[in-house]
């Protein structure tokens, strides 16, 4: 009997040792990754899918706003291709811009149903320490179509696809694939007053790859979002006969994201309200047409996050941020083929220590 007890105890210890030998590496492989950093990357990519889709739709609607305000519609190509070469601080970037609105000359010839495509893709050289870390990044490519139900109502749908492969650390590459669909529309109460709305959803898959060949824990996420934007324009005549167009607007967006897989049960809920005023005028000179413009915007964002944490206080986070931004610039159409654009931006948040400044200039030559 004692011999059988010793044999059972030996078998138990062998089973424990075997479990530790084969199960520990898998557990350690998952514990060795910073799940908070992985979740933050997933949350940022999910939020970017919403921002990207809404910005593409805003560009689509703005480029044909005046035409549709008069009861028309137009097909458009709004795709940009950015090519980057070099690494570190020695990076050169070129932009291939294909934006073009294909509208007939006469309003009565505009179609009720029009298709369009938009977004941006980026090609770049691979990093020297990890050839898989970069190469292709889609900033969101979307295909859409909208139908003019009446001179004052337009509805449409857009489907977007985005892919990103970027480093999460020095030895870890993280990939995100996102598919987005959005139902959108515009209601014109007058040619200068409109209400935009959008309701969309996105599905994202996340996966990683380390230099050692290990696979970090994968996950997926679902995001739903809605947007409502109201705007009205007013023309103010100047003493020299020039017209100043002022446009005020208000916009609200809400979104909710939930994850499964490695970050199961985590997610974010966000709401944002923005109020702004923009102004522009047009001047004809001997060397082309110049359109100076400026704008100000105030926004308030509330974000509630449920992220991986050891305690309840660490798991739940509530952030509120108020932000003010101002922009100024000009568009100079030298001739039908050449355009120069310059923009200066200044923004500051209640939580930031100092204002952020941006300066952008672009020269476009069309053939």
């Amino acid at each position: 009997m004692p011999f059988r007890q010793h044999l059972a105890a030996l078998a138990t210890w062998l089973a424990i040792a075997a479990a530790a030998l084969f199960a520990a590496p898998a557990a350690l492989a998952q514990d060795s990754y910073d799940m908070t950093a992985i979740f933050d990357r997933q949350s940022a990519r999910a939020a970017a899918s919403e921002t990207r889709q809404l910005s593409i739709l805003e560009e689509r609607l703005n480029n044909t706003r005046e035409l549709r305000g008069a009861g028309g519609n137009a097909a458009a190509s709004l795709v940009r291709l950015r090519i980057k070469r070099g690494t570190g601080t020695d990076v050169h970037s070129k932009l291939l811009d294909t934006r073009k609105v294909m509208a007939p000359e006469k309003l009565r010839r505009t179609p009720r149903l029009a298709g369009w495509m938009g977004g941006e893709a980026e090609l770049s050289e691979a990093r020297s320490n990890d050839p898989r870390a970069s190469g292709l990044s889609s900033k969101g490519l979307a295909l859409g179509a909208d139908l003019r139900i009446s001179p004052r109502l337009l509805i449409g749908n857009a489907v977007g696809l985005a892919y990103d492969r970027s480093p999460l650390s020095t030895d870890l590459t993280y990939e995100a694939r996102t598919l987005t669909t959005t139902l959108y529309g515009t209601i014109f109460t007058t040619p200068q007053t409109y209400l935009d709305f959008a309701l969309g959803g996105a599905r994202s898959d996340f996966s990683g790859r380390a230099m050692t060949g290990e696979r970090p824990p994968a996950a997926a996420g679902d995001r739903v979002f809605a947007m409502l934007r109201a705007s009205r324009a007013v023309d103010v005549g100047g003493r020299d006969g020039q017209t100043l167009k002022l446009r005020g607007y208000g916009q609200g967006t809400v979104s909710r994201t939930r994850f499964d897989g490695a970050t199961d049960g985590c997610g974010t809920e966000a709401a944002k309200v923005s109020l702004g005023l923009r102004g522009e005028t047009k001047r004809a000179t001997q060397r082309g047409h110049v359109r100076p413009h400026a704008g100000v915007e105030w926004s308030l964002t509330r974000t509630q996050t449920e992220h991986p944490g050891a305690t309840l206080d660490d798991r739940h986070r509530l952030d509120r941020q108020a932000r003010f931004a101002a922009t100024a610039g000009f568009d100079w159409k030298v001739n039908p083929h050449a355009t120069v654009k310059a923009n200066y931006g200044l923004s500051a948040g209640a939580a930031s220590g100092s204002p952020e400044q941006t300066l952008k200039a672009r020269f476009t030559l069309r053939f």
Side-chain angles (χ1 to χ4, degrees):
M1 191 70 176
F3 175 75
R4 291 183 178 180
Q5 293 179 348
H6 288 301
L7 184 60
L10 179 61
T12 301
W13 280 107
L14 288 176
I16 295 176
L21 179 63
F22 293 102
L28 291 175
Q30 178 163 335
D31 293 342
S32 63
Y33 295 105
D34 187 349
M35 294 305 300
T36 300
I38 291 177
F39 172 75
D40 289 341
R41 174 60 61 90
Q42 294 174 358
S43 300
R45 291 294 181 264
S49 67
E50 172 194 333
T51 302
R52 181 170 50 239
Q53 190 80 344
L54 292 179
S55 65
I56 294 175
L57 290 179
E58 182 180 2
E59 184 178 23
R60 160 62 181 167
L61 295 175
N62 287 341
N63 279 346
T64 55
R65 184 79 66 184
E66 295 182 2
L67 179 66
R68 288 180 293 104
N73 200 1
S77 174
L78 309 170
V79 178
R80 302 180 183 90
L81 177 61
R82 188 179 299 275
I83 302 174
K84 287 186 176 182
R85 301 189 63 182
T87 58
T89 58
D90 186 21
V91 177
H92 306 280
S93 177
K94 293 183 179 180
L95 179 66
L96 178 61
D97 195 341
T98 68
R99 288 181 298 175
K100 183 178 181 181
V101 177
M102 296 162 280
E105 295 181 1
K106 295 184 178 181
L107 183 62
R108 68 173 185 268
R109 296 179 181 174
T110 60
R112 294 185 60 189
L113 177 64
W116 58 273
M117 60 185 302
E120 182 175 324
E122 181 178 293
L123 297 175
S124 61
E125 290 183 339
R127 293 194 307 169
S128 57
N129 61 332
D130 186 0
R132 301 165 300 188
S134 61
L136 173 63
S137 175
S138 168
K139 302 297 183 180
L141 297 175
L143 296 174
D146 41 47
L147 176 65
R148 178 167 48 84
I149 303 297
S150 71
R152 300 298 183 219
L153 175 62
L154 177 116
I155 60 172
N157 187 74
V159 177
L161 179 65
Y163 172 77
D164 178 74
R165 183 173 59 195
S166 56
L168 182 63
S169 62
T170 56
D171 60 350
L172 177 60
T173 300
Y174 218 63
E175 299 180 0
R177 296 161 295 276
T178 305
L179 178 65
T180 309
T181 181
T182 306
L183 174 68
Y184 66 93
T186 299
I187 301 174
F188 284 91
T189 56
T190 70
Q192 297 296 332
T193 306
Y194 64 84
L195 180 69
D196 289 344
F197 59 89
L199 178 63
R203 176 68 177 180
S204 301
D205 293 313
F206 307 94
S207 61
R209 177 163 45 191
M211 288 287 291
T212 59
E214 298 180 22
R215 290 280 185 176
D222 293 303
R223 186 178 184 92
V224 292
F225 56 89
M227 181 274 293
L228 189 65
R229 178 186 179 95
S231 179
R232 177 176 175 81
V234 177
D235 293 336
V236 180
R239 296 181 180 179
D240 55 356
Q242 300 291 335
T243 301
L244 174 64
K245 176 176 286 188
L246 298 176
R247 179 174 289 280
Y249 63 91
Q251 177 173 312
T253 58
V254 292
S255 62
R256 184 178 187 271
T257 306
R258 302 304 295 178
F259 295 101
D260 53 36
T263 50
D264 185 29
C266 300
T268 60
E269 296 180 0
K272 181 179 180 180
V273 176
S274 302
L275 299 173
L277 177 65
R278 296 177 182 175
E280 66 176 45
T281 185
K282 295 181 180 179
R283 294 183 176 273
T285 66
Q286 295 180 351
R287 297 186 177 180
H289 293 79
V290 180
R291 184 178 69 89
H293 54 83
V296 293
E297 181 181 278
W298 173 87
S299 62
L300 178 63
T301 305
R302 180 184 184 275
T303 305
Q304 184 173 351
T305 307
E306 186 177 355
H307 64 95
T311 64
L312 186 63
D313 294 336
D314 293 335
R315 187 176 179 85
H316 296 274
R317 181 189 305 162
L318 179 62
D319 296 322
R320 294 185 181 90
Q321 183 179 18
R323 195 166 190 84
F324 176 81
T327 59
F330 66 86
D331 297 349
W332 177 20
K333 191 173 183 179
V334 182
N335 55 53
H337 304 285
T339 305
V340 178
K341 295 185 178 183
N343 290 280
Y344 171 76
L346 178 66
S347 62
S352 60
S354 59
E356 299 177 2
Q357 302 183 65
T358 59
L359 180 60
K360 298 180 180 180
R362 185 172 66 188
F363 174 72
T364 304
L365 184 62
R366 298 186 180 276
F367 299 94

